[in-house]
Amino acid sequence: MVSKLSRPQLASLLALFAGMVVLAVLPAYIDPYSLRIVTGVLMWAGLACAWNIVGGYAGYISFGHSAFFGIGAYVTGILMQRDLGIPFLATLPLGILVAVGVAAAIGGPTMRLRGAYFAIATWAFAEMLMQMAIVLDITGGTAGLSLPAYLNEFFFYYTMLIVALGVYLGTWYLLERTRFGYRLKALRDHEPAAEAMGIHTTRVKVQAFALSAGITSLFGSIYAYWVTFIDPRSVMGPEITDQMVVMVLLGGLGTVWGPALGATVLWLINRYIWSELGDTAIYLPILGLIIALIVLFLPNGLISLLPGGRRGHGLLGRLLRKL
Amino acid sequence: MYAGADSQTVRHSPLVLEGLVKHFGGVTAVAGVDLEVESCEVVGVIGPNGSGKSTLFNLISGMLPMDEGRVWLVGKEVTGRSAWRIARAGLARTFQIPSLFDNISVRDNLLAAAVEGDWKGAPRRAGEVLEMLEISHVADNLASELSGGQQKLLEFGRVCMRDPSVILLDEATAGVHPNIRRIMLEAIRRVREAGATFLVIEHDMEMVREICDRIIVMDAGQVVAKGSFDEIADNVEVQRAYLGRQR
C-alpha cells in the first residue's frame, strides 16, 4: 500500500542501487585485508538493522541481542561438526528457527516490561545464555568450537552482501509500507493510544523481537563459518550488543538507513584502532564517548546531517526517558 | 442487569454501563455509575476536576481494570476485556492530553489508525478526513509540529478513520482557537449523522449546550444529576457540586 514513493524515498532507492553496483564490483579492486573489513561492515550493518527493529521502531532497548547472535553461531557451529556434518546453508534456517523460538518465549513476558526493566531483563537473559555456553559440553565450553575452514573471502563477502541487502530491503518494505510497520511505530510513540486503536501491542512487540532475533541469528551463523572458531565470549559477549546499539544511535535511531551509516563509520574506526594500536582496548571508552556526544549534539544521528535527513524527531530522548 | 432496563434494551443500546466502581487505594474514583446511551445520541459528562470523569472513560475503554460493574458495547459485553479488544469491538476514544504518534507525519497518524480495519481504503479515507478537519496543508508535517488545536483535530481524525460505533471524547475542544472549535463541532455533527454515538467530557458549557442531547453530572465518582442542559443548569445540587456554592 500506502502511497507512491516520496522524493526522499526515491533518492534513497537510487543511492541504494548505485551502492549495490559499487559493492558488487568492489572485490575486484581492493586487497584481501580491505575486503575483510568491508565484509565486517556489511555484517555489522545487518546487525544494527536488526537491533533497530526493536530499539528504533518498537522503542524497546534490548541489551540481549548478543544471545541471538550466539545462538546462530552455535547452531551452525554444532551442526557443522564432523559427526553431524550438516552443510552450512542448511544450518541457517535452523539457527533462525531456534532464535525466533527463544525470542518468542522470552519476548512474551519481557515485552510487557517497560524501560529499564526490559533492558535489564534482556541483559540478564543474554548473560544467562553465555554462562550456559560456558558450562555446556555441546558448545565446547570455554575452549570453544572449531568449524570446518572455508577460506574463500569472496564467498563470505557476497554472502554478507546478499543477506545484508535482503535484510535492509525487507526491513524497509515491512516497516515503511505495511500495517506491521505502522503498528510498530504507533506503539513506540504512544502505546496506550495504539491499544485504544485496536492494536494488540504485546503481540506486535513479540513479533518484532522475534524478527530481530532471527536476523541477528542469521548473521551469527555466517560469522561462525567465516571466522571458523567461536567461544562464548566472542559470539555472546555484551560488547556485541553494545556495538549494535551505538551503531544505531550514531547512524539514526528509527530510520531505515541510519544503522548502515553508523555501522560503516564505527566499524572503520574499530578496524583503524586495531591496525594502528594492535588491539581494541581503547575502543570501549571510545564507544562511551560517542554515546555521550550523540546524546548531547546529534540526537537524530548522522543521517540527520544528510540532505533530506529527517527533522527533529525525539526518539532518542524518548528512549532515554524510558530508562 | 442495568437498573430499570430489560435485557433486550441492554443488548441493543450502543453503550450500557452497569454499576461501574473503581478504587485507588482508599479513594473511590468511580462509585457505581449506571448509564445507557442510545444510538446516535450525544451525552455530555460534566463535573468538577477529580469527579471521576476521565477514570470513567478509562474503565469503559479498558485502559483501567474496574473493581465492579459491567460494560456493554453494541450489544456485546466487554467487561474485563483488554483495551485493544474493546477498540476492535467498536469503541474509539480521545485523551485529555492529545496522544499522537509524534514521530510520524499527520497523514501517517491517520493511516496508523486504520491498521486494524480497511487498510486498502485507508489512503482515500485519510484524504477525506484531512479535508473534513481542514488540516490537509499540514498532512506531511510531523504530528509533534502541530499546534495544540491541530493536535486535537488530528486525534479526532484518527477516531474518524476507524468508523467506530461509540466515541468517547475527553475535552476535545479545551483551550482551542474558536475556528478549530468550529471545525471540531462540525466534524462531530457529521460523524454523528453517519451513525456514531458519543460520550463527551467537556468543560466548555457552550459546546455542551450545542451538541449534547442530555448531560450527566459527576461528583465524587457518582452521577449526581441527569437531564437536558436547561434542567442541569437549574439544578441546585449541580450548582453546589460544580461551582461549590449555590447560585
Side-chain angles (χ1 to χ4, degrees):
Chain A
M1 104 135 245
V2 156
S3 54
K4 292 176 183 172
L5 291 179
S6 65
R7 192 169 291 178
Q9 285 172 330
L10 192 62
S12 297
L13 279 183
L14 287 174
L16 176 70
F17 181 73
M20 283 168 64
V21 171
V22 170
L23 288 169
V25 300
L26 192 63
Y29 297 98
I30 58 176
D31 60 79
Y33 175 70
S34 301
L35 184 64
R36 201 169 170 80
I37 290 176
V38 180
T39 305
V41 166
L42 292 170
M43 183 187 81
W44 283 107
L47 289 170
C49 179
W51 188 88
N52 191 41
I53 294 170
V54 174
Y57 281 90
Y60 278 72
I61 297 181
S62 164
F63 282 119
H65 265 55
S66 56
F68 304 120
F69 187 78
I71 286 173
Y74 273 112
V75 167
T76 292
I78 291 166
L79 294 178
M80 288 186 75
Q81 294 302 299
R82 279 183 190 157
D83 48 344
L84 292 170
I86 294 175
F88 166 67
L89 289 179
T91 69
L92 300 182
L94 291 170
I96 292 171
L97 273 178
V98 174
V100 166
V102 171
I106 295 297
T110 59
M111 298 217 79
R112 295 172 195 275
L113 304 173
R114 291 173 194 266
Y117 298 102
F118 174 75
I120 292 167
T122 51
W123 170 79
F125 158 71
E127 284 295 313
M128 180 193 74
L129 235 59
M130 189 170 76
Q131 293 305 318
M132 283 176 65
I134 289 171
V135 299
L136 289 175
D137 289 335
I138 194 170
T139 59
T142 50
L145 275 183
S146 290
L147 286 81
Y150 185 59
L151 304 175
N152 184 338
E153 282 297 323
F154 292 103
F155 170 78
F156 291 106
Y157 173 80
Y158 282 109
T159 302
M160 290 288 190
L161 178 61
I162 290 167
V163 173
L165 277 175
V167 164
Y168 270 85
L169 289 176
T171 303
W172 170 78
Y173 180 76
L174 194 64
L175 300 183
E176 299 295 330
R177 313 294 285 180
T178 69
R179 293 180 198 234
F180 179 72
Y182 279 86
R183 287 185 184 118
L184 214 49
K185 286 183 271 193
L187 77 86
R188 172 196 65 194
D189 282 359
H190 205 297
E191 201 163 328
E195 287 203 13
M197 293 192 313
I199 297 172
H200 188 345
T201 54
T202 303
R203 182 191 295 161
V204 176
K205 285 185 287 185
V206 173
Q207 287 170 341
F209 195 50
L211 173 67
S212 175
I215 296 170
T216 306
S217 166
L218 180 58
F219 282 106
S221 291
I222 302 169
Y223 175 79
Y225 194 33
W226 182 30
V227 298
T228 71
F229 174 78
I230 55 174
D231 64 20
R233 193 79 201 178
S234 69
V235 293
M236 286 185 162
E239 299 83 7
I240 294 168
T241 309
D242 296 345
Q243 197 150 257
M244 287 186 215
V245 175
V246 179
M247 284 169 172
V248 173
L249 297 184
L250 178 63
L253 188 69
T255 63
V256 175
W257 306 109
L261 188 58
T264 305
V265 172
L266 208 60
W267 189 243
L268 292 180
I269 291 173
N270 178 300
R271 293 296 85 188
Y272 177 78
I273 291 170
W274 186 84
S275 65
E276 290 299 310
L277 303 178
D279 69 34
T280 52
I282 198 174
Y283 182 59
L284 283 178
I286 288 178
L287 281 187
L289 182 65
I290 288 174
I291 292 174
L293 292 175
I294 294 167
V295 171
L296 287 173
F297 303 113
L298 202 61
N300 297 320
L302 290 173
I303 203 152
S304 64
L305 302 176
L306 300 179
R310 64 180 183 177
R311 295 154 287 175
H313 291 207
L315 287 178
L316 181 56
R318 186 183 295 273
L319 271 189
L320 293 175
R321 279 195 295 277
K322 280 185 176 180
L323 291 174
Chain B
M1 188 58 58
Y2 172 62
D6 61 29
S7 61
Q8 287 301 313
T9 308
V10 169
R11 290 182 184 280
H12 286 98
S13 295
L15 181 65
V16 178
L17 314 179
E18 178 193 324
L20 298 197
V21 174
K22 180 66 184 177
H23 305 286
F24 292 111
V27 177
T28 301
V30 175
V33 171
D34 295 321
L35 178 67
E36 183 168 353
V37 186
E38 301 295 340
S39 185
C40 297
E41 193 178 20
V42 179
V43 174
V45 183
I46 65 172
N49 290 333
S51 59
K53 306 183 297 295
S54 290
T55 302
L56 179 68
F57 270 27
N58 286 336
L59 296 181
I60 298 169
S61 59
M63 293 285 162
L64 280 176
M66 63 187 79
D67 294 326
E68 291 174 38
R70 298 169 77 183
V71 178
W72 299 75
L73 185 68
V74 204
K76 287 182 183 170
E77 184 167 9
V78 295
T79 309
R81 288 195 191 178
S82 50
W84 65 270
R85 283 187 191 277
I86 294 174
R88 289 187 191 183
L91 185 97
R93 67 165 295 181
T94 66
F95 293 80
Q96 195 172 358
I97 299 169
S99 55
L100 302 179
F101 307 133
D102 286 342
N103 294 290
I104 58 177
S105 71
V106 169
R107 189 189 306 278
D108 283 348
N109 262 266
L110 296 177
L111 294 174
V115 289
E116 304 304 337
D118 174 18
W119 184 239
K120 280 190 177 173
R124 179 190 52 76
R125 180 86 180 114
E128 292 169 359
V129 170
L130 287 168
E131 201 171 311
M132 177 178 78
L133 297 174
E134 301 182 26
I135 50 174
S136 299
H137 59 292
V138 291
D140 295 323
N141 288 30
L142 291 178
S144 57
E145 294 171 349
L146 299 183
S147 69
Q150 287 173 327
Q151 290 189 4
K152 294 267 186 186
L153 288 176
L154 176 56
E155 197 178 29
F156 184 66
R158 283 197 321 210
V159 165
C160 298
M161 287 294 292
R162 297 190 40 233
D163 201 16
S165 304
V166 176
I167 298 172
L168 311 182
L169 296 183
D170 196 344
E171 299 189 29
T173 61
V176 304
H177 187 274
N179 192 41
I180 287 185
R181 184 174 171 279
R182 174 190 61 76
I183 296 168
M184 182 74 84
L185 285 175
E186 183 54 33
I188 290 171
R189 284 198 186 97
R190 286 175 64 172
V191 174
R192 178 192 187 178
E193 283 166 11
T197 300
F198 284 84
L199 193 59
V200 178
I201 293 176
E202 194 53 71
H203 288 298
D204 177 350
M205 288 303 130
E206 278 308 306
M207 177 168 166
V208 171
R209 184 201 291 269
E210 281 188 55
I211 65 166
C212 294
D213 300 307
R214 62 189 170 99
I215 297 159
I216 65 169
V217 184
M218 290 187 69
D219 188 30
Q222 293 180 313
V223 176
V224 295
K226 298 178 182 180
S228 67
F229 184 88
D230 291 336
E231 288 167 350
I232 292 296
D234 292 336
N235 187 307
V236 174
E237 277 300 310
V238 173
Q239 290 166 14
R240 185 175 293 130
Y242 206 77
L243 303 175
R245 60 182 171 79
Q246 193 167 344
R247 190 168 60 183

